[in-house]
Amino acid sequence: MDTALNIANRYELKELELNSLLEITQAINENMAEDSLYKIYNFTLRANLKLGKLMLLVQENGLWEQKLSFGTTKNYSADDNSTNHLINKRQILFAADLVDSPFEEFEVAIPVFHKNELLATVFLGGVANAEEKELIENHLNFIQALTNIIMVAIENKKMAREKLEQEVIAKEMEIAKKVQQLLFPKSLPESDHFKIDAHYSPHHTVGGDYYDWISIDENRKIVCIADVSGKGVPAALLMSNFQASLRTLLRKTTDLEEVINDLNHQVFESANGENFITCFIALIDLNEKKLTYVNAGHNPPFLVSSDGIIEKLETGTLVLGALREIPFLEIGSTEISTPQTLLLYTDGLTEAFNEQEEEFGPERVMEILSNYISATPEAIINAILKEIEAFIGKRALSDDITLLACKYHV
C-alpha cells in the first residue's frame, strides 16, 4: 500500500513539474515582459512548494540584485566579501551551510548556471514540517531547471534589447554623420587674393564641429568655425540649424553684431538652453583693408602677419544659446596691411593628450605657425596634422579635430 502511495505521489510530483514547465514555456513563447516572468516564477514555486520564504538574487553587470522575495526579514544585497563568497559557491547549499551567513534564515540556496556562468541564486525557506522539507528536497533539480529556463529567457531578452539599442544608436550615428558631412562646404575656392584649406578628423562618435567659407562678393568673405556641445543626432541637427540660420542672415546683412544676436536667439530657441555652440566668425574685407570678428566662447584663432607676429583673436562674447539674451558683445577688428594667415581650429586640437597625459596645447600650434609664416594653408595644416600624430602616439583622439587656414592679402 505504501509503495503504491509513493508511486502515486511521485507521479503527481512529476505531473506538477511538467505543468509548471509548460506554463513557464508558454509565457516565454508569448514574449511576456521580464516582470511578468518573475511573477509567474514566484507564484509557481510558492503555490506548489508551500514555501514560507523565497528570494531570488540575480547578477546584473557584476552586482547582485534582489529581483523577488517573499517572507524575508530584510532586503538582501551582495556588497560584502562574505556574501559574494557564499553566493559564488557552485553547489546547492543547505541550512548547515547557511549558518552564520547573511542568509541563515533560509534552508536551501540553489545556484543557477548558463554555459558555466552563474546567473542567479534562489533561496528557499520557512517550511513548516519535515514533509514539506522533503517536498522541497525532491524538487531541487526541478527548481534549478525552472530557474535556469526563466533566467536564460530573461538574459536573451536583455541581449535582444541591447542589440536593438545598438542598432538604433548605429543608425543615429549614420544619420548624424551624413548631416555633419552636409554642413561642410563642398569646395573651398581660391583666387588671387585668397587661399584656403581645411581638414576634419572625426572622432569615433559623431561630434558637432562645423566650418564654413562664404563669399559675400569678390573682396568680402566670411569665415566661420563652430563646435556644439553634445554628440550624435541632436548635436548634428542643432549645428545644421545654426548653419542654415547663418547663411540666411548673411544674405541680408554682414553686421556681425546683428548676426551674432540673431544666431544666439536661434540656438537658444532650438536647444531650449540645454545645449550651446562655441563660434568664431570673421568678415575679411579687402576693400576696407580690415578684418572684423566675434569670438563667442570659441578657442581663439591665430592671426599670423608676414612679419611673424601672432595674435590671438579673443574679443567677442559668451557661447551662443546659453542665455536668451547675450549680456555683452564686443566686435574685434584688425587692419590688413601685410599678407596674413588666419588659422581656425576646434578644441580637439589643443586638448589632445599623449600617452604621458600631456596636453597638446595652443603653444605647440603657435610654434608650428612661427616655423611656417610664409607657407601655404595646405602646408600649415599638414604640418599641424603631422605634429599632432607624432604627439599622441598610439593614444586615440578624444574629440574631433577641425582646422581651417586662410591666407589673404590686399
Side-chain angles (χ1 to χ4, degrees):
M1 184 71 177
D2 288 341
T3 302
L5 185 61
N6 286 336
I7 292 172
N9 287 339
R10 284 199 297 271
Y11 175 78
E12 289 179 3
L13 185 66
K14 291 301 178 186
E15 186 178 25
L16 181 67
E17 291 177 352
L18 180 59
N19 289 336
S20 298
L21 287 172
L22 288 173
E23 184 180 1
I24 291 290
T25 303
Q26 184 178 359
I28 292 171
N29 290 338
E30 290 174 358
N31 200 28
M32 285 192 174
E34 293 173 25
D35 288 346
S36 298
L37 292 178
Y38 280 130
K39 286 177 182 177
I40 293 173
Y41 171 79
N42 184 14
F43 175 80
T44 300
L45 292 188
R46 286 173 54 190
N48 295 335
L49 299 181
K50 301 178 183 179
L51 295 169
K53 297 176 187 289
L54 169 65
M55 195 258 293
L56 179 66
L57 284 182
V58 176
Q59 192 159 211
E60 295 270 2
N61 300 320
L63 300 175
W64 290 95
E65 292 186 16
Q66 181 177 298
K67 288 298 184 181
L68 61 87
S69 65
F70 169 74
T72 58
T73 59
K74 64 177 182 178
N75 183 33
Y76 286 85
S77 63
D79 310 1
D80 57 79
N81 292 332
S82 61
T83 301
N84 279 321
H85 174 71
L86 182 63
I87 292 177
N88 286 317
K89 286 191 174 181
R90 308 179 71 81
Q91 61 190 38
I92 296 176
L93 304 176
F94 295 94
D97 304 303
L98 302 174
V99 173
D100 295 328
S101 81
F103 309 104
E104 61 183 357
E105 67 174 298
F106 298 100
E107 278 125 25
V108 181
I110 307 171
V112 178
F113 297 90
H114 179 60
K115 295 181 179 178
N116 209 35
E117 179 184 354
L118 183 61
L119 298 181
T121 301
V122 57
F123 294 84
L124 311 174
V127 296
N129 52 50
E131 182 181 340
E132 291 171 358
K133 183 177 180 180
E134 182 181 357
L135 180 64
I136 290 176
E137 290 177 353
N138 288 335
H139 269 74
L140 288 180
N141 290 335
F142 163 71
I143 296 168
Q144 197 168 33
L146 184 69
T147 311
N148 181 269
I149 291 171
I150 286 286
M151 293 312 305
V152 170
I154 290 174
E155 282 293 306
N156 288 339
K157 279 179 173 289
K158 289 178 184 175
M159 290 172 61
R161 186 166 59 244
E162 289 171 1
K163 183 180 178 182
L164 181 61
E165 289 172 354
Q166 290 171 357
E167 289 175 354
V168 170
I169 292 171
K171 191 65 177 176
E172 285 188 350
M173 290 299 104
E174 183 182 343
I175 293 169
K177 283 180 180 178
K178 289 180 179 178
V179 171
Q180 190 174 29
Q181 288 167 2
L182 292 172
L183 296 178
F184 299 129
K186 291 183 173 61
S187 62
L188 293 170
E190 291 190 3
S191 67
D192 292 338
H193 297 284
F194 293 97
K195 286 184 171 53
I196 316 106
D197 194 40
H199 173 84
Y200 172 64
S201 292
H203 182 232
H204 61 81
T205 58
V206 177
D209 285 9
Y210 157 67
Y211 68 82
D212 214 340
W213 173 265
I214 303 167
S215 179
I216 305 301
D217 54 42
E218 187 177 347
N219 290 298
R220 292 187 300 160
K221 312 294 179 182
I222 289 284
V223 60
C224 177
I225 194 165
D227 190 2
V228 62
S229 64
K231 305 289 182 185
V233 174
L237 292 178
L238 182 60
M239 191 58 85
S240 177
N241 181 267
F242 175 87
Q243 183 217 39
S245 298
L246 174 62
R247 285 179 167 259
T248 300
L249 287 166
L250 290 174
R251 288 194 188 101
K252 64 177 185 178
T253 182
T254 57
D255 184 324
L256 294 187
E257 182 174 352
E258 182 180 347
V259 169
I260 287 296
N261 277 300
D262 281 356
L263 285 174
N264 180 74
H265 174 76
Q266 293 288 345
V267 175
F268 185 87
E269 291 297 320
S270 298
N272 298 315
E274 295 176 2
N275 294 86
F276 59 86
I277 290 177
T278 69
C279 164
F280 176 89
I281 181 170
L283 171 63
I284 304 169
D285 191 331
L286 298 187
N287 284 330
E288 297 290 332
K289 298 182 180 180
K290 181 188 270 188
L291 179 144
T292 54
Y293 70 90
V294 174
N295 189 329
H298 197 78
N299 299 82
F302 297 109
L303 183 65
V304 185
S305 300
S306 58
D307 56 9
I309 295 175
I310 300 177
E311 180 184 355
K312 288 184 179 181
L313 303 184
E314 301 176 297
T315 304
T317 185
L318 300 177
V319 297
L320 304 182
L323 300 172
R324 185 178 295 276
E325 301 292 336
I326 294 176
F328 64 89
L329 174 58
E330 185 179 356
I331 306 297
S333 67
T334 182
E335 299 297 322
I336 303 174
S337 56
T338 64
Q340 294 177 333
T341 299
L342 180 63
L343 176 71
L344 291 73
Y345 61 94
T346 54
D347 56 11
L349 173 64
T350 53
E351 295 177 8
F353 285 87
N354 63 14
E355 296 173 86
Q356 289 73 45
E357 298 298 326
E358 296 175 316
E359 193 176 57
F360 192 72
E363 293 77 15
R364 286 185 173 86
V365 181
M366 294 176 71
E367 186 178 347
I368 295 169
L369 290 173
S370 296
N371 295 327
Y372 284 80
I373 292 171
S374 59
T376 64
E378 182 181 8
I380 291 172
I381 287 179
N382 287 338
I384 293 173
L385 294 176
K386 184 178 179 180
E387 189 72 22
I388 193 74
E389 184 179 358
F391 176 79
I392 64 174
K394 294 181 180 179
R395 182 161 181 169
L397 291 172
S398 57
D399 200 357
D400 300 352
I401 291 180
T402 301
L403 304 170
L404 187 146
C406 172
K407 195 177 188 72
Y408 53 89
H409 63 89
V410 178

